[in-house]
């Protein structure tokens, strides 16, 4: 049996910690005890530290001198900044995708995610559906650098969406997602961007309130 490559072990450790952070299993601001995590995951310090470095670069982990690593903390200003940057990238992806891509296929992909969202039984399933719905524009935008720019803050956006799913049922968002679908069919990029902006802003107060109540 082939040995697990060092890079694979780092990837697995990174993926496990990232999932635990964005799904809130590791609370905001929680101190990350390296020794405890090593024991829990059965890994040595080297792959763990490399994984933590990657999470730090992604903005999901903070590392302070003489203090150590901890899950990021967020406040209202942080939420606004993350969502503003994400919306700027989303708007560009929407316009490129609708100019360069197959709008019929794009509309079908969005419709499939709306059905998935409507039938979701858990918060995680709803988050996944929203992630794939918005991701459809990036997949078809024809700009790899734009796609990579979104990946850089993707973890933080997924974290915010999980918080949103925790504090809001979200069924009222179905109307906004349907507006996005209809605007794609009508080739109206402005209407798509408008709906995405409303979606970004409408749930922000509840997300910020949840953060104030739950942050360590």
């Amino acid at each position: 049996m082939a040995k697990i490559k060092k890079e694979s072990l780092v990837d697995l450790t990174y993926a496990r910690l990232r999932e635990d952070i964005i799904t809130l299993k590791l609370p905001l601001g929680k101190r990350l005890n390296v020794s405890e995590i090593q024991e829990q995951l059965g890994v040595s310090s080297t792959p763990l530290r490399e994984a933590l470095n990657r999470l730090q670069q992604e903005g999901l982990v903070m590392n302070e001198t003489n203090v150590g690593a901890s899950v990021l903390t967020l406040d209202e200003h942080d939420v606004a900044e993350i969502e503003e940057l994400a919306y700027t990238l989303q708007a560009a992806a929407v316009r490129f995708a609708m100019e360069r891509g197959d709008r019929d296929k794009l509309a079908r992909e969005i419709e499939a995610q709306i059905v998935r969202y409507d039938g979701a039984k858990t918060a995680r399933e709803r988050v996944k559906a929203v992630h794939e719905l918005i991701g459809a524009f990036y997949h078809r935008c024809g700009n790899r650098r734009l796609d990579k720019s979104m990946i850089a803050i993707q973890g933080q956006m997924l974290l915010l969406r999980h918080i949103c799913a925790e504090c809001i049922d979200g069924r009222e968002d179905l109307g906004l997602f349907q507006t996005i679908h209809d605007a794609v069919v009508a080739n109206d990029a402005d209407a798509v961007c408008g709906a995405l902006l409303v979606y970004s802003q409408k749930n922000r107060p509840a997300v910020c309130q949840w953060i104030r109540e739950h942050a360590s």
Side-chain angles (χ1 to χ4, degrees):
M1 182 180 294
K3 293 182 178 179
I4 296 177
K5 295 180 180 179
K6 177 184 175 183
E7 291 79 10
S8 298
L9 192 55
V10 172
D11 290 343
L12 290 170
T13 304
Y14 160 80
R16 170 67 179 276
L17 290 173
R18 184 180 188 272
E19 179 72 6
D20 285 352
I21 291 171
I22 65 177
T23 60
L24 306 170
K25 289 181 181 178
L26 288 172
L28 297 177
K30 179 176 177 58
R31 177 81 178 276
L32 298 175
N33 187 300
V34 172
S35 298
E36 287 182 2
I37 296 174
Q38 283 181 235
E39 184 175 351
Q40 291 169 358
L41 301 185
V43 298
S44 66
S45 61
T46 299
L48 176 55
R49 293 191 184 281
E50 290 185 27
L52 290 173
N53 285 337
R54 286 173 60 177
L55 290 165
Q56 184 179 358
Q57 292 171 7
E58 198 174 351
L60 293 174
V61 163
M62 303 180 297
N63 198 354
E64 298 181 61
T65 304
N66 299 325
V67 176
S70 60
V71 178
L72 83 163
T73 57
L74 292 171
D75 58 23
E76 187 170 346
H77 181 69
D78 296 319
V79 173
E81 284 192 342
I82 294 167
E83 291 187 343
E84 286 170 2
L85 177 56
Y87 172 73
T88 299
L89 297 173
Q90 289 166 10
V94 165
R95 298 187 188 283
F96 288 147
M98 292 180 66
E99 289 173 4
R100 303 169 179 175
D102 185 324
R103 283 192 297 106
D104 290 336
K105 289 184 178 179
L106 178 60
R108 288 197 294 272
E109 288 180 20
I110 291 171
E111 184 175 19
Q113 297 308 322
I114 292 174
V115 171
R116 183 181 181 185
Y117 184 93
D118 191 29
K121 293 180 171 56
T122 67
R124 182 175 296 190
E125 289 174 353
R126 292 199 299 273
V127 171
K128 184 67 173 176
V130 174
H131 178 65
E132 294 296 336
L133 188 154
I134 296 176
F137 293 103
Y138 289 95
H139 302 330
R140 297 185 176 277
C141 73
N143 188 315
R144 289 176 297 175
R145 287 175 172 79
L146 176 59
D147 202 5
K148 288 181 178 179
S149 295
M150 184 56 197
I151 289 173
I153 64 164
Q154 184 171 271
Q156 295 177 40
M157 278 304 302
L158 283 168
L159 173 60
L160 293 184
R161 287 180 188 144
H162 274 282
I163 293 174
C164 184
E166 286 290 323
C167 57
I168 293 175
D169 179 86
R171 299 301 171 183
E172 66 273 17
D173 291 331
L174 281 168
L176 283 172
F177 299 148
Q178 189 61 51
T179 297
I180 291 171
H181 170 270
D182 295 345
V184 170
V185 172
N187 196 24
D188 188 345
D190 288 339
V192 175
C193 293
L196 286 172
L197 183 59
V198 171
Y199 175 69
S200 172
Q201 294 178 341
K202 69 183 289 293
N203 297 327
R204 188 181 300 172
V207 169
C208 292
Q209 179 64 30
W210 189 96
I211 287 172
R212 286 192 292 271
E213 293 174 354
H214 292 81
S216 298

